[in-house]
Amino acid sequence: AATNSQGLFLDEFGGGGRACIDYSGVKLAESGVTRVLWPVCSKKWSEDCSSTGCCADVGMKCYQKNSDWSTCMAGCSSKDPQNESWTCNVIESPEPRTSKTCHDRCR
């Protein structure tokens, strides 16, 4: 089963029916076709989170280094250990990852 950080999915059933469903825990079988509404959140330190604006690891935020790179970290300093400059702008998801947003997109 596909997953995302919030467990929210848009289920599309035969006959054109659609429903936003919050699946928690392990799901062994799915009815209909399920698609994830948001891209997978980025892993800390190693992935660019500029487009997702969210981090897979708890306590992390997406911080911008420059126009070409942002990554998930617990905090940000204007200079990193390699003495490179960071803007430290927090990049947020372009759309809130909430059940309300899921339901609104479902209509």
Side-chain angles (χ1 to χ4, degrees), residues 53-65:
C54 74
C55 301
D57 298 280
V58 175
M60 300 285 169
K61 288 185 180 178
C62 179
Y63 290 101
Q64 182 183 49
K65 178 178 184 177

Side-chain angles (χ1 to χ4, degrees), residues 49-54 61-62 89-97:
C49 56
S50 299
S51 62
T52 64
C54 74
K61 288 185 180 178
C62 179
N89 294 328
V90 175
I91 307 299
E92 296 182 350
S93 179
E95 183 173 56
R97 292 174 178 237

Side-chain angles (χ1 to χ4, degrees), residues 3-9 20 22 36-43 48-57 62 72 91-105:
T3 63
N4 67 34
S5 64
Q6 295 288 322
L8 297 171
F9 294 88
C20 256
D22 185 358
V36 177
L37 294 175
W38 299 284
V40 175
C41 291
S42 304
K43 294 179 184 175
D48 187 351
C49 56
S50 299
S51 62
T52 64
C54 74
C55 301
D57 298 280
C62 179
C72 294
I91 307 299
E92 296 182 350
S93 179
E95 183 173 56
R97 292 174 178 237
T98 64
S99 58
K100 180 184 180 326
T101 302
C102 182
H103 287 282
D104 290 346
R105 290 183 74 187

Side-chain angles (χ1 to χ4, degrees), residues 12-33:
E12 296 178 352
F13 305 101
R18 299 188 319 170
C20 256
I21 301 172
D22 185 358
Y23 295 123
S24 58
V26 177
K27 187 165 185 332
L28 299 177
E30 297 176 351
S31 59
V33 176

